Amino acid sequence: MSDEKLASIPTGLVNDNALVSAVRNTYMSFLERRDALGLSNPGTFENINREVSKDVFLTNFMFTGLRAEWNKPISNSPIFQLSHQLSMGAPGMSPYTFSALYGSSKVFLQGTMENDGSLAARSNYRWSDSLITKTNAQIQSSQSMLSIENDYSGRDFTASLKAMNPSIIEGGVKGIFIASYLQSVTSRLALGIEGVWQRVAMNSAPEAILSYGARYKGSDWIASLQMQSEGPQGSVVSSSYWRKLTDKVSVGTDLNLQFAPGLSGQGGLMGGGLQKEGSASAGAKYEFRASTFRAQVDSKGRLSCLLEKTILPAMRVTFAGEMDHLKQQAKVGVGVSVEAMSEDLMEQAEKGGVQAPAVPF
């Protein structure tokens, strides 16, 4: 009887309501204007300058000492791979590292174990085409770390929420919590904001940091600007510029400026002086038929370069070097990577019979 009463309620009472109609019409007009702009997803706030920091610059590629890596693909769909890595003379690198990787269209799993017993694990799970949860855990003899991140990618925006070492077992909340949002405003411009709240221990006061960012995309260049406000501790302004000169050559620059209140006896009056510090970096990336060369120089006198050369379809050699002119120091790295793929997998790859899934890396 109750269902019949609900069904008998005329929908016109809702549809003919002036307030509801005004809100609906405003929302539909907003969607139409939004579609007319042709906006695209700008990526995450964390990677607002990804072309410079993760593609041109050597930050994620540089190493020293000797390194040998042996990869054994087991399957292409789903992706399953084992890896052994040996290193020598590299500060901070374990002499031996074993890792396993698994990837499907919804799940990405990676585990790493070093010779001293340190463990690291990564897992990504795609709940839908828009929502991905990323988990990263590390267990070491000195310290452990856990981070959980959720990324929601809309048609023209990305929202992220990340927690690092969260805990409530000590009578309060501690850890590092990061929330960010990046929105495409026009087909070329994207604006974003990021907030960080952290408390190291319960006996220390919490700290909050706000960052603002902008990203502008031209026909063959991308510029980004970020400003981080740390309250009374000062602020940081960073900008980057990336340009694709040809199909094989791209360049990038990065400029960082730090402003902090001057302290008594350190070049400024108490509460009145302002300390300023800056650094600049420039890099280039050259892609050849069977090799990739990267070079970078910064205002601190460091010159770095890295060459990746594919000798055979299953073998790659990497040469890395860095010179610090101010400290009169030089570092060199040589690495060899071998991929031991079985004959069946090689035939599948050549024929294109098995397509690798879109793994949520």
Side-chain angles (χ1 to χ4, degrees):
M1 188 64 180
S2 59
D3 294 339
E4 294 178 358
K5 290 182 178 180
L6 291 175
S8 63
I9 297 177
T11 57
L13 294 178
V14 178
N15 295 333
D16 296 339
N17 186 281
L19 179 59
V20 174
S21 299
V23 173
R24 183 176 63 248
N25 294 336
T26 302
Y27 180 71
M28 295 302 296
S29 176
F30 170 76
L31 291 181
E32 292 177 359
R33 292 176 180 269
R34 186 177 177 182
D35 294 339
L37 292 175
L39 304 180
S40 60
N41 187 281
T44 61
F45 188 92
E46 180 182 7
N47 297 324
I48 196 171
N49 62 340
R50 56 186 176 272
E51 289 81 8
V52 176
S53 61
K54 296 190 175 182
D55 187 41
V56 175
F57 283 2
L58 279 68
T59 307
N60 298 327
F61 305 94
M62 193 64 191
F63 69 97
T64 59
L66 301 178
R67 187 176 68 181
E69 186 174 359
W70 183 81
N71 299 316
K72 176 63 176 178
I74 307 298
S75 172
N76 285 333
S77 182
I79 298 175
F80 183 47
Q81 177 178 298
L82 301 178
S83 176
H84 302 267
Q85 181 174 301
L86 301 173
S87 62
M88 182 175 61
M93 293 288 294
S94 175
Y96 172 74
T97 302
F98 169 77
S99 63
L101 182 149
Y102 173 85
S104 66
S105 59
K106 282 186 170 293
V107 180
F108 168 72
L109 301 173
Q110 183 179 25
T112 302
M113 182 180 65
E114 299 180 354
N115 64 297
D116 60 354
S118 300
L119 298 175
R122 291 177 56 198
S123 67
N124 297 352
Y125 186 81
R126 178 184 281 125
W127 302 93
S128 65
D129 294 338
S130 301
L131 180 61
I132 296 179
T133 298
K134 305 175 183 179
T135 306
N136 191 351
Q138 296 181 7
I139 301 176
Q140 300 177 349
S141 58
S142 58
Q143 62 180 358
S144 300
M145 188 274 290
L146 172 66
S147 68
I148 303 173
E149 181 178 2
N150 292 281
D151 291 341
Y152 185 86
S153 301
R155 183 174 51 185
D156 54 9
F157 72 92
T158 300
S160 302
L161 183 63
K162 185 176 183 180
M164 300 178 63
N165 290 337
S167 176
I168 58 173
I169 62 177
E170 298 182 12
V173 179
K174 72 173 187 177
I176 302 175
F177 301 88
I178 305 173
S180 62
Y181 182 84
L182 187 61
Q183 171 73 57
S184 292
V185 180
T186 67
S187 58
R188 297 181 180 271
L189 178 63
L191 301 177
I193 185 172
E194 180 182 73
V196 180
W197 185 93
Q198 62 179 354
R199 175 184 280 176
V200 181
M202 294 305 301
N203 56 1
S204 61
E207 299 179 358
I209 301 174
L210 276 179
S211 300
Y212 308 92
R215 173 184 169 92
Y216 189 87
K217 184 177 181 180
S219 57
D220 58 355
W221 59 274
I222 299 175
S224 66
L225 178 67
Q226 290 179 272
M227 186 181 68
Q228 178 177 305
S229 176
E230 300 179 358
Q233 300 179 2
S235 60
V236 179
V237 178
S238 61
S239 62
S240 64
Y241 178 80
W242 174 88
R243 188 179 186 91
K244 194 172 189 64
L245 300 180
T246 66
D247 293 339
K248 303 294 184 181
V249 182
S250 57
V251 296
T253 61
D254 184 80
L255 175 65
N256 288 276
L257 298 175
Q258 299 182 7
F259 303 91
L263 300 178
S264 178
Q266 296 185 4
L269 299 176
M270 181 66 71
L274 186 65
Q275 293 182 339
K276 292 169 286 186
E277 183 179 353
S279 62
S281 303
K285 175 185 176 183
Y286 298 83
E287 294 181 285
F288 302 99
R289 184 179 61 85
S291 61
T292 302
F293 178 76
R294 291 178 174 88
Q296 180 179 340
V297 62
D298 59 29
S299 58
K300 297 181 180 179
R302 288 193 298 248
L303 175 63
S304 308
C305 61
L306 184 138
L307 174 64
E308 293 178 311
K309 174 70 174 180
T310 301
I311 299 178
L312 298 173
M315 178 178 291
R316 185 177 71 251
V317 180
T318 305
F319 301 94
E322 179 181 286
M323 295 183 60
D324 194 326
H325 293 82
L326 298 182
K327 296 182 179 180
Q328 297 295 315
Q329 295 178 353
K331 301 177 182 179
V332 178
V334 179
V336 178
S337 179
V338 179
E339 189 170 284
M341 184 179 296
S342 63
E343 295 182 359
D344 295 339
L345 293 181
M346 291 183 65
E347 292 179 0
Q348 293 177 3
E350 292 176 356
K351 296 179 180 178
V354 178
Q355 296 293 332
V359 181
F361 287 112

